[in-house]
Amino acid sequence: MFRTLALIATVSVLLTGCVTSSPPQSEIPAPTQQSPTATAAPVPSTPPPPTAVAAVFDTTLYSIDEADSLWVVVDKLRRLSPKKYVPKSLTTMNVPHAYTPILRRDAAKAYLKMFRAARRDGINLVVQSGYRSYSSQVSVYNGWVASIGRNAADLQSARPGHSEHQIGLSVDIAAANRVCTIQACFGRTPEGKWLMHNAPRFGWHLRYPKGKTSITGYIYEPWHWRYVGVELAVELSLTPKITLEEFFGLPAAPNYAK
Ligand SMILES: [Zn+2]
């Protein structure tokens, strides 16, 4: 009698186990290769297993060497190749600007989205400077050298062939009221703060964070934003003040090679 009851109890437990949504550990499916930024709504009837973890970010998705690549890393040790590289899909944006607001088409689309979102929040952004050709970088860099000397110029202006502005994916942003334009205090303006909080979700990364001169070779530039795509920008934003050099395990580039 007791054995019969015990058997019934066992069968009952087994049956109960069959209808619960908690399979044994060995049957829990492996986490899917889902991006940490994916926002797909979970299906109520099949919640993800409690052991699911975010997939490791694939740092090899795009080249960091090719000038055309969304993730190309340009710094004082990584000159563009070819050095007079010109992006294929440059486009002029119809937005408030100080100098003609030209960017690569994908970056331009992302800037427009961000510009409109900012405006909805009462934040009025102006493009101070977008794409600059090799020859215009020659003029910009030489102008800095003439006014503040070569050493100081190298801390805030790239030598031609080493500028992120030449890839058409970087933009210097200012406030419509012109407060703190191209100055560190821009980071404390409503426009600068809005960008810090919101730019990553539009694909923009703060390329020269505060306190990272020994890695980037540049002073803190809260106005200089680099388009890397939403996936990477959001991933980067998880680590405050991280640089592309640190993220991709590249050597620090405080100075040009001799
Ligand atoms: Zn810049």
Side-chain angles (χ1 to χ4, degrees):
M1 179 62 184
F2 287 125
R3 290 189 60 171
T4 308
L5 282 175
L7 184 62
I8 290 168
T10 305
V11 169
S12 171
V13 166
L14 286 172
L15 284 172
T16 306
C18 287
V19 296
T20 64
S21 57
S22 304
Q25 284 296 315
S26 61
E27 291 178 18
I28 293 177
T32 55
Q33 291 294 311
Q34 192 179 30
S35 151
T37 60
T39 54
V43 180
S45 59
T46 54
T51 52
V53 292
V56 173
F57 189 85
D58 182 3
T59 59
T60 63
L61 196 57
Y62 297 103
S63 167
I64 57 169
D65 302 316
E66 302 289 328
D68 274 328
S69 172
L70 185 60
W71 290 0
V72 65
V73 180
V74 184
D75 63 25
K76 290 180 179 180
L77 294 178
R78 298 172 58 87
R79 195 182 72 180
L80 277 168
S81 176
K83 72 174 184 179
K84 295 189 179 179
Y85 166 77
V86 179
K88 291 185 189 78
S89 65
L90 292 173
T91 183
T92 303
M93 300 180 289
N94 182 22
V95 292
H97 59 273
Y99 295 94
T100 313
I102 298 172
L103 286 176
R104 216 172 86 168
R105 196 180 312 280
D106 44 0
K109 271 187 187 171
Y111 180 83
L112 277 169
K113 261 189 178 177
M114 181 167 74
F115 168 78
R116 290 177 185 137
R119 196 172 51 186
R120 284 194 293 273
D121 287 348
I123 297 293
N124 294 301
L125 304 175
V126 167
V127 171
Q128 183 66 22
S129 185
Y131 166 72
R132 290 199 294 266
S133 67
Y134 180 91
S135 60
S136 62
Q137 191 64 24
V138 170
S139 308
V140 168
Y141 178 73
N142 288 344
W144 279 106
V145 172
S147 70
I148 60 176
R150 194 171 180 85
N151 288 344
D154 276 339
L155 284 173
Q156 52 193 298
S157 181
R159 294 181 189 176
H162 290 269
S163 175
E164 272 206 336
H165 286 277
Q166 196 181 323
I167 56 176
L169 295 175
S170 287
V171 61
D172 295 336
I173 302 174
N177 63 10
R178 313 300 294 158
V179 170
C180 291
T181 298
I182 312 292
Q183 295 176 58
C185 58
F186 178 70
R188 298 194 298 272
T189 63
E191 293 79 6
K193 287 179 181 170
W194 189 95
L195 287 167
M196 287 296 293
H197 284 114
N198 295 282
R201 68 187 168 96
F202 296 98
W204 299 90
H205 166 62
L206 184 72
R207 183 67 177 95
Y208 306 119
K210 194 181 280 184
K212 293 297 178 79
T213 303
S214 62
I215 292 168
T216 64
Y218 294 98
I219 54 170
Y220 170 48
E221 294 194 358
W223 60 86
H224 179 110
W225 291 88
R226 159 68 191 273
Y227 183 66
V228 291
V230 172
E231 193 176 33
L232 177 57
V234 168
E235 179 71 16
L236 289 164
S237 72
L238 301 177
T239 309
K241 299 183 183 179
I242 195 169
T243 63
L244 292 181
E245 285 81 5
E246 292 166 307
F247 185 79
F248 287 114
L250 297 169
N255 297 300
Y256 292 96
K258 296 290 179 232

